[in-house]
Amino acid sequence: GYSRMVLFPGDHQRSAKDVIKLIKEQERTSDDVVVGSKFHIYSEKYGPIRRRIGNRLFSFLAKKLWGSPIEDVLSGFKIYDIDSVKAMVPFLPDGYPLDIVFSYYSSRMGLKISEIPVECRYSKDTTKMKSVLIVSFKMLYKLVKHALLHPLPQDLRQVSLDQTSDS
């Protein structure tokens, strides 16, 4: 019975008040997916250089490989319109690559996606990842493996696109 689904990372980097920003942006644009982007605040103060490089590299690859419109493709902070994405849920993997596969399928289905700036706090308590580059390539491998083994059926894409145009 819900109309939206929010993915909210549990790493204490995001602020709950930004969920309201995502909701308001989705209401304003009627987009299927709204991404909370941390790229607008990247500086030495807000993020380690290795994370910035890994995030930018993976976002570049996503843009080239599947035409992702998302600048911060590794952002795990998103809001989805349930009616637009519910048909793809059975095709999603468990675990860490879920969000990137969700983003891949959303792009491949032609869903309307926008991105807004949100707060992101980095500290020794919020970031445990030592190498975003290594994690990025592991996620890319898992994404490609999942997409090859579990391709989204063509008719599912059409059904979902028809649903989003009716709303």
Side-chain angles (χ1 to χ4, degrees):
Y2 294 101
S3 62
R4 295 180 180 95
M5 175 179 71
V6 175
L7 292 181
F8 190 89
D11 56 10
H12 306 290
Q13 292 177 355
R14 303 292 194 260
S15 170
K17 69 179 183 203
D18 283 332
V19 173
I20 303 302
K21 285 175 65 175
L22 293 177
I23 292 170
K24 287 182 179 180
E25 181 68 9
Q26 193 175 47
E27 287 173 346
R28 186 184 72 76
T29 64
S30 298
D31 287 346
D32 303 303
V33 182
V34 179
V35 178
S37 175
K38 60 193 168 294
F39 278 173
H40 71 288
I41 51 95
Y42 266 139
S43 69
E44 288 302 315
K45 179 181 176 187
Y46 289 104
I49 187 75
R50 65 185 186 279
R51 291 196 69 137
R52 292 191 309 247
I53 292 169
N55 283 343
R56 289 289 185 188
L57 177 63
F58 201 83
S59 293
F60 173 79
L61 289 173
K63 199 173 286 289
K64 294 298 180 193
L65 292 174
W66 68 81
S68 174
I70 305 170
E71 291 295 322
D72 187 4
V73 78
L74 292 181
S75 173
F77 188 32
K78 297 180 178 79
I79 187 168
Y80 293 92
D81 174 76
I82 294 290
D83 287 336
S84 301
V85 300
K86 67 181 171 187
M88 75 171 86
V89 170
F91 297 92
L92 295 170
D94 292 334
Y96 197 66
L98 173 126
D99 186 53
I100 195 67
V101 173
F102 222 137
S103 294
Y104 167 73
Y105 284 160
S106 296
S107 292
R108 298 299 295 189
M109 290 174 61
L111 299 183
K112 296 182 290 182
I113 304 170
S114 60
E115 202 166 13
I116 62 169
V118 295
E119 184 180 338
C120 185
R121 298 176 304 259
Y122 285 106
S123 74
K124 64 179 176 55
D125 298 323
T126 65
T127 185
K128 304 295 184 221
M129 212 180 295
K130 297 296 180 206
S131 175
V132 170
L133 218 48
I134 291 171
V135 170
S136 296
F137 282 109
K138 283 182 181 179
M139 283 179 47
L140 180 61
Y141 167 76
K142 289 179 180 182
L143 169 66
V144 170
K145 181 180 169 185
H146 185 81
L148 290 174
L149 294 175
H150 307 283
L152 201 58
Q154 183 63 38
D155 60 339
L156 180 63
R157 278 188 224 141
Q158 191 58 48
V159 167
S160 293
L161 288 173
D162 289 346
Q163 288 175 348
T164 60
S165 63
D166 291 340
S167 53

